[in-house]
């Protein structure tokens, strides 16, 4: 199968800037187009992650950004996959290029986020699982992260200092990233001194919400040869945008119950394992081939879960991998060299696109101040509520 | 005198008849169990069943994980007390049904009282109250404290 090439990357600085989401999308898109050496009218297809409020579709995305850039008659699609929306948009654009329906696609995600907990919109909706988990249980998002963190503590001996060390590592990585919102190194003591939100997680263990935009220009191999830009071509080798397999016996946001294993045995590889498995299989590679990864650190402890599910170490081995410095810059498998959500905060439909943008820069040797040396192959991993798995494998 | 009614959205999800238990659904074709009850299409992708019976679940289980909510959750959560009092949430492997179900801990139980693998049992308790009603919900209570 021929590959799809990332011809251009664009990204705003993350923060709370008070602008409209469309402006962030336009800023990212124009940077990506300039990076690719293309003009907006060259774009045949626009795929956007849907801009959302509180887990729900609130605004259109692809057409809003296309209108802001000047309506050009491009074909378009808007994808909603919660935190995985960006990967879904990438997947759609890639499929259209591989199908021969277009040669140049623009993928955009942009959002503005409210302060504080994400929560459902107002009004009684007792048939809605997202409403029910707040109303009946008070189970805001950090609860689900805290469940996984507590299991790591009781099963593997993880400590709150380990979780804080993830924040310390990522805050150190993000210091030199001009797009990061937080660019100050945080200490373990500061994390542990911050208020407990959902035990064992402190405020500084949990990512902030941010405004931001990210964009990619994806092109066919034929178009990439025409463009022949200054940077090495980075190829999309695998894109997973997948559901769990029944029975998914680990609690999935926003559900209040997992699937039953009474009649059907759980699959040998659980949901979080299967997300990267799907992208590895498409790429024909495995975890040993990965030089750098951007993973979804909504909370510090989740990053440790990812190390295991992505195959960087065996179950229960994540704390040692972290403590040994293997996932820091200079280690065997640097994770979140961008600074991750710890430094960016979350802008839901942009984040998965930003992850792919960072890996592209890493593979092109353009990640100044946070560059992973000799990175040839990279991975992104992410998961959106309602069962949206997301992983992308890229290589030069 | 306030009357006890199930909290909005949880009607039919639990019972006190014959002792406290959750009420899920059981597929008449393959026997798979769901909570809350699925009643229109079996969750097992290899089944396709559309007939279901009620399944009594619990009241005992094992702690899968747990947390304390130190910050007041946002609406539509309704705090039981003013000012807000932190409470624990548990994810529990419910005995004999292969399900993990979240529930609040009864008042006074915090993370120091809990451990993955500990035994718990289900009680029907008040979620919050207004002038006319106590709105009820299932909660989990460590078994040792129950006796």
């Amino acid at each position: 199968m021929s590959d799809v090439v990332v011809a251009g990357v664009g990204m705003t600085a993350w923060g709370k800037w008070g602008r409209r989401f469309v402006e962030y999308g336009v800023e990212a898109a124009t940077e990506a187009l300039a990076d690719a050496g293309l003009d907006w009218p060259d774009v045949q297809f626009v795929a956007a992650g849907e801009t959302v409020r509180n887990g729900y579709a609130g605004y259109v995305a692809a057409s809003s950004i296309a209108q802001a850039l000047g309506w050009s008659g491009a074909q378009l699609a808007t994808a909603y996959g919660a935190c995985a929306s960006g990967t879904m948009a990438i997947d759609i654009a890639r499929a259209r290029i591989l199908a021969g329906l277009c040669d140049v696609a623009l993928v955009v995600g942009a959002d503005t986020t409210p302060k504080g907990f994400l929560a459902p919109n107002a009004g009684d909706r007792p048939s809605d699982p997202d409403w029910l988990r707040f109303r009946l249980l008070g189970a805001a998002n950090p609860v689900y992260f805290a469940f996984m963190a507590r299991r790591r503590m009781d099963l593997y001996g993880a400590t709150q200092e380990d979780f804080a060390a993830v924040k310390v590592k990522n805050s150190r990585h993000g210091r030199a990233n001009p797009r990061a919102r937080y660019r100050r190194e945080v200490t373990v003591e500061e994390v542990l001194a911050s208020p407990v939100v959902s035990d064992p997680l402190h405020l500084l263990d949990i990512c902030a919400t941010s405004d931001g935009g990210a964009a990619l220009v994806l092109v066919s191999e034929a178009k990439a040869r025409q463009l022949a830009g200054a940077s090495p071509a980075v190829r999309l080798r695998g894109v997973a945008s997948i559901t769990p397999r029944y029975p998914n016996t680990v609690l999935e946001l926003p559900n209040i119950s997992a699937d039953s294993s009474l009649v059907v045995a759980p699959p040998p590889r659980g949901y979080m394992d299967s997300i990267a498995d799907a992208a590895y299989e498409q790429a024909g590679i495995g975890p040993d081939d990965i030089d750098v990864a951007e993973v979804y650190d909504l909370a510090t402890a989740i990053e440790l879960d990812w190390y295991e599910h992505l195959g960087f170490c065996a179950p229960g081995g994540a704390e040692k991998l972290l403590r040994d410095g293997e996932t820091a810059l200079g280690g065997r498998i640097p994770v979140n060299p961008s600074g991750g959500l710890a430094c960016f905060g979350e802008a839901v439909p942009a984040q998965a696109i930003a992850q792919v943008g960072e890996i592209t820069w890493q593979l092109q040797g353009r990640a100044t101040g946070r560059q992973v040396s000799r990175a040839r192959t990279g991975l992104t991993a992410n998961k959106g509520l309602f069962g949206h798995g997301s992983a992308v494998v890229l290589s030069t | 005198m306030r009357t006890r009614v199930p909290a909005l959205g949880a009607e039919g999800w639990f019972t006190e008849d014959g002792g406290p238990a959750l009420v899920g659904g059981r597929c008449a074709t393959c026997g798979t169990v769901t909570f809350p009850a699925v009643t229109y299409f079996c969750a097992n992708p290899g089944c396709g069943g559309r007939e279901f019976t009620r399944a009594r679940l619990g009241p005992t289980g094992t702690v899968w994980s747990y947390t304390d909510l130190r910050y007041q959750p946002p609406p539509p959560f309704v705090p039981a007390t003013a000012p807000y009092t932190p409470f624990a949430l548990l994810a529990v492997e419910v005995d004999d049904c292969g399900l993990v179900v979240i529930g609040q801990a009864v008042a006074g139980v915090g993370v120091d009282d809990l451990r993955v693998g500990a035994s718990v049992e289900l009680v029907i308790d008040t979620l919050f109250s207004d002038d006319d009603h106590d709105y009820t919900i299932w909660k989990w209570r460590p078994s040792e404290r129950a006796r």
Side-chain angles (χ1 to χ4, degrees):
Chain A
M1 189 164 71
S2 65
D3 289 320
V4 167
V5 175
V6 182
V9 178
M11 200 184 300
T12 68
W14 252 237
K16 284 279 174 73
W17 307 110
R19 295 161 63 193
R20 296 183 311 139
F21 87 95
V22 168
E23 296 177 38
Y24 303 119
V26 165
E27 184 180 326
T30 52
E31 186 189 1
L33 285 163
D35 193 33
L38 289 166
D39 297 318
W40 161 239
D42 298 325
V43 172
Q44 298 156 311
F45 181 71
V46 182
E50 183 147 348
T51 301
V52 299
R53 286 297 175 280
N54 313 321
Y56 292 88
Y59 298 83
V60 291
S63 65
S64 302
I65 287 159
Q67 181 178 19
L69 288 161
W71 271 334
S72 65
Q75 188 97 6
L76 51 81
T78 296
Y80 177 65
C83 295
S85 297
T87 312
M88 205 179 267
I90 291 168
D91 193 39
I92 296 165
R94 171 187 182 237
R96 288 193 73 91
I97 292 169
L98 291 177
L101 293 171
C102 70
D103 287 304
V104 178
L106 174 68
V107 180
V108 188
D111 206 2
T112 58
T113 34
K115 188 175 163 57
F117 283 114
L118 296 174
N121 292 320
D124 286 350
R125 283 189 310 284
S127 62
D128 170 5
D130 209 32
W131 185 89
L132 286 166
R133 57 147 169 157
F134 281 90
R135 175 68 157 218
L136 300 179
L137 301 164
N141 294 10
V143 162
Y144 295 78
F145 316 151
F147 281 155
M148 302 310 288
R150 263 287 157 191
R151 272 184 77 77
R152 292 207 71 86
M153 293 175 76
D154 284 5
L155 299 183
Y156 302 138
T159 64
Q160 290 178 310
E161 286 78 8
D162 289 325
F163 303 151
V166 173
K167 177 77 170 192
V168 172
K169 170 183 73 74
N170 290 347
S171 72
R172 193 175 294 151
H173 287 174
R175 278 185 313 190
N177 190 341
R179 324 277 174 149
R181 175 178 177 187
Y182 302 106
R183 296 174 60 188
R184 185 180 69 80
E185 187 169 338
V186 174
T187 66
V188 168
E189 292 71 29
E190 282 176 287
V191 177
L192 297 181
S194 66
V196 174
V197 174
S198 193
D199 171 281
L201 299 175
H202 296 76
L203 191 60
L204 290 181
D205 282 305
I206 296 168
C207 85
T209 55
S210 287
D211 297 353
L216 304 170
V217 174
L218 303 182
V219 301
S220 63
E221 289 206 75
K223 187 70 183 180
R225 280 193 295 275
Q226 266 181 36
L227 292 171
S231 301
V234 169
R235 296 161 188 281
L236 285 176
R237 300 282 307 282
V239 179
S241 181
I242 63 167
T243 73
R245 279 179 195 277
Y246 184 85
N248 181 29
T249 56
V250 175
L251 284 163
E252 195 65 44
L253 261 166
N255 298 331
I256 65 177
S257 168
D259 293 333
S260 171
S261 56
L262 189 64
V263 170
V264 181
R269 300 274 290 164
Y271 182 35
M272 282 183 70
D273 299 320
S274 71
I275 294 169
D277 285 356
Y280 287 147
E281 186 181 347
Q282 289 174 36
I285 66 165
D288 292 345
D289 300 306
I290 300 298
D291 301 313
V292 55
E294 285 280 314
V295 312
Y296 220 45
D297 56 323
L298 283 164
T300 50
I302 295 175
E303 182 172 313
L304 299 171
D305 293 333
W306 281 119
Y307 296 171
E308 298 167 7
H309 296 297
L310 301 176
F312 299 158
C313 63
E319 285 75 16
K320 179 168 174 15
L321 200 69
L322 174 76
R323 291 169 191 160
D324 290 350
E326 298 288 23
T327 57
L329 279 168
R332 175 167 69 79
I333 171 69
V335 174
N336 286 330
S338 72
L341 298 186
C343 293
F344 277 73
E346 190 181 28
V348 172
Q351 208 75 47
I353 298 168
Q355 288 181 310
V356 172
E358 172 67 14
I359 294 295
T360 302
W361 283 330
Q362 288 285 346
L363 302 187
Q364 292 175 331
R366 294 201 289 167
T368 306
R370 59 185 192 284
Q371 180 66 46
V372 176
S373 60
R374 293 182 298 280
R376 301 282 305 276
T377 303
L379 172 73
T380 69
N382 162 320
K383 194 163 69 115
L385 86 169
F386 305 113
H388 294 101
S390 146
V392 179
V393 171
L394 301 115
S395 70
T396 52
Chain B
M1 180 71 183
R2 290 193 294 259
T3 51
R4 276 161 65 86
V5 294
L8 179 64
E11 301 92 346
W13 288 20
F14 55 85
T15 182
E16 295 183 80
D17 292 342
L22 297 174
V23 177
R26 189 183 308 275
C27 174
T29 308
C30 76
T32 205
V33 173
T34 52
F35 180 82
V38 168
T39 56
Y40 50 94
F41 199 83
C42 183
N44 174 2
C47 177
R50 290 172 178 269
E51 299 290 327
F52 303 89
T53 57
R54 279 160 44 106
R56 194 182 161 89
L57 312 173
T60 55
T62 304
V63 174
W64 186 85
S65 198
Y66 52 97
T67 182
D68 252 347
L69 279 75
R70 303 285 182 86
Y71 273 52
Q72 180 176 323
F77 176 76
V78 180
T81 56
Y84 168 76
T85 312
F87 63 96
L89 273 178
L90 283 73
V92 172
E93 295 178 88
V94 183
D95 287 349
D96 305 320
C97 65
L99 281 166
V100 175
V101 177
I102 304 178
Q104 294 186 7
V106 296
V109 171
V111 290
D112 293 340
D113 305 309
L114 298 166
R115 188 83 188 163
V116 170
S119 296
V120 293
E121 57 193 73
L122 189 125
V123 296
I124 306 304
D125 199 355
T126 300
L127 179 62
F128 63 91
S129 303
D130 60 21
D131 290 344
D132 301 322
H133 303 291
D134 288 324
Y135 297 96
T136 56
I137 198 71
W138 72 92
K139 292 185 184 177
W140 298 108
R141 176 170 63 185
S143 296
E144 304 81 71
R145 299 167 66 102
R147 300 200 170 89

